[in-house]
Each structure stands twice: as C-alpha cells, then as structure tokens.
Amino acid sequence: MPAQTHLFRCLQDNYGVLVHDPSTGATASIDAPEAAPVEAALKATGWRLTDILVTHHHGDHTGGIVELKQHHHCRVTAPLAEAARIPAVDVEVKQGDEVKVGALKARVLETPGHTAGHIAYWLPDEELAFVGDTLFSIGCGRVIEGTPEMMWQSLLKLRELPDATRVYCGHEYTAANIRFAKTIEPDNRNLAAREQDVARLLAQGKPTIPSLLGAEKKENVFLRADVPAVAAAVGLSGHSPAEVFAEVRARKNKF
Ligand SMILES: [Zn+2]
C-alpha cells in the first residue's frame, strides 16, 4: 500500500508533514517544529505517532520533539553529525543509512550547507523526498554553516533523484522565490507557467508543497547553476557552477 502524507502549517511559515504506512499503522513526523500542530494533525488523521525523522538541528524543526516523545514514546531519528544539538535522539544516521517507518523504507542523503550536518530522507519506492531546509520550491535554504560549494553539491545530490519524486520542504516560500528566480531567468517559460499555478493555489488557500522534482529541475534557478544562460545572467560565463550558485545565492540574500 502506498504511503499517505498529511501536510499542515506550524509556527509562522513552517510546514509540518506526517507520513503514514497504512499496512502497519506506523506514522512519522518529518521534523517537529512545535508539538501542538503535530498533535492536531494526528487527531485529524487518526494516525499514531511512531517516529520523528529530523533533518537538522534548527529550533523551528526540533522545538516539539521532547513534548511529542513524552506523549507518544516515539523513536527519534536524527543526523549523526548534529545529534548532540538535537534533543532526545534515539537513532543517529548518516549518508546511505536506511530508516524504516513501519514497512516504508527511507534512505538518508547527507545534504550539508544550510547546516553542517543537514540530511534529507528519500523514499524511492514511494517517490517521496523530505528535504528540510536544503531545497525549497523554486528556492534553496540559506548557506549558514557550510560553503556555497558544499550546498551546490548537496543540491546536485537531490537533483539526481527521479523526476517523479514529490519534494516536501520545510517552508512556504514559493511565491517570493519565483519573484526572485524571474530576475535571473525572465524568459524561462516553465517558470512563468509555474508562477500562474502557484498564484492560483495560494488564492485558493492551498499549499504549493509538495513540488515535483522534474519541475524543479526546469524552474528552480538554484538547481540550474550549470546552465550557461544562468551563468551569463549573473555575469559569470565560463565560471564553475559552484561560483555561479554562490552568486545567485548571494543575490537572493539581498533580494
Ligand atoms: Zn533551518
């Protein structure tokens, strides 16, 4: 039976998401920004929390862990490299490890840059990826603890996943990200079409998450630093993709 997901808002602009295995009843919360919205989502779905899968140590992804674990006695899985900065961790994971939620299998991808130990969870059989604050819909996370080169390599790792992968990220930033992406790629027709789709979803009060990785590859400028037209747009023709990525990211920081 395919995995079921349930997306909901947390804090100011964070997303929480539950992933549920109907065959065993197991349910994971991807990160835990705060306890109350996760509890409300569990109540709404009738699912029982068995796991929390943590992407990185930031407080807006970990603030609810302790309270949820006390209530549900769930297992907390977190990146090995950041486990000391995350509360109540039971299982520490690294690149290539497999994490099971009931019968669902997730593979751990190390995606450093936003934080030094950030990880993503990829469920190949379910065509799902939970990418925290590394890749956003038409955007990417700020490079806080790593280098632009490191972040670019992490984004390349995610870009290698199949086009049909549904990508869940930690925040609703899509509309602002599109406004920025258009400054670099004003003639990207796929991006223009996405802008209309996103405007329609937001007008209906709907989330723009998940996004399809195949669309991100065509529309997300941060995944396109090795496209010659993107390099040219930021005046860096002939430079390395990592240098182009660094310039695009620097421009977004000031946007
Ligand atoms: Zn973060």
Side-chain angles (χ1 to χ4, degrees):
M1 269 189 281
Q4 294 173 265
T5 55
H6 179 77
L7 182 73
F8 52 95
R9 297 275 195 152
C10 292
L11 301 172
Q12 282 268 301
D13 61 9
N14 277 72
Y15 276 124
V17 60
L18 300 177
V19 57
H20 177 70
D21 174 24
S23 67
T24 61
T27 303
S29 176
I30 309 300
D31 290 327
E34 53 178 340
V38 178
E39 296 286 11
L42 290 165
K43 211 166 184 180
T45 52
W47 297 344
R48 186 176 55 89
L49 189 69
T50 55
D51 289 271
I52 300 174
L53 306 184
V54 184
T55 62
H56 66 294
H57 69 81
H58 285 161
D60 64 329
H61 293 252
T62 57
I65 292 174
V66 169
E67 197 177 327
L68 288 167
K69 187 172 175 178
Q70 273 170 2
H71 186 190
H72 299 279
H73 308 291
C74 52
R75 183 180 61 167
V76 178
T77 300
L80 170 68
E82 297 187 355
R85 302 176 72 175
I86 297 168
V89 175
D90 299 300
V91 183
E92 300 175 7
V93 292
K94 59 184 188 315
Q95 174 70 34
D97 285 352
E98 186 178 88
V99 179
K100 279 185 138 184
V101 176
L104 304 176
K105 288 182 222 148
R107 207 162 314 156
V108 174
L109 304 174
E110 288 180 351
T111 57
H114 176 69
T115 63
H118 193 295
I119 61 173
Y121 296 90
W122 176 39
L123 286 65
D125 298 340
E126 307 296 328
E127 299 182 316
L128 283 171
F130 301 98
V131 300
D133 286 355
T134 298
L135 176 65
F136 292 134
S137 169
I138 316 292
C140 76
R142 279 178 186 267
V143 182
I144 298 172
E145 295 178 8
T147 63
E149 168 70 35
M150 194 186 277
M151 188 68 159
W152 171 244
Q153 292 303 327
S154 295
L155 291 171
L156 284 181
K157 198 183 275 185
L158 296 176
R159 197 176 74 173
E160 283 169 17
L161 304 184
D163 286 359
T165 308
R166 285 165 292 148
V167 180
Y168 283 84
C169 59
H171 295 273
E172 177 62 72
Y173 293 155
T174 313
N177 287 342
I178 290 173
R179 280 197 295 279
F180 169 74
K182 282 173 66 186
T183 67
I184 312 283
E185 291 197 283
D187 302 323
N188 183 328
R189 287 187 186 182
N190 292 307
L191 181 61
R194 179 76 166 274
E195 184 176 33
Q196 299 206 332
D197 291 344
V198 163
R200 193 163 43 240
L201 286 169
L202 293 175
Q204 293 168 353
K206 291 180 182 165
T208 66
I209 309 302
S211 66
L212 212 53
L213 190 62
E216 291 296 320
K217 292 176 191 179
K218 291 183 202 156
E219 299 156 13
N220 185 335
V221 68
F222 295 99
L223 294 179
R224 295 166 55 78
D226 51 358
V227 172
V230 171
V234 296
L236 290 176
S237 288
H239 287 247
S240 73
E243 288 172 297
V244 174
F245 169 79
E247 174 60 21
V248 174
R249 186 59 252 183
R251 289 188 184 200
K252 176 69 166 65
N253 289 348
K254 287 179 269 174
F255 182 68

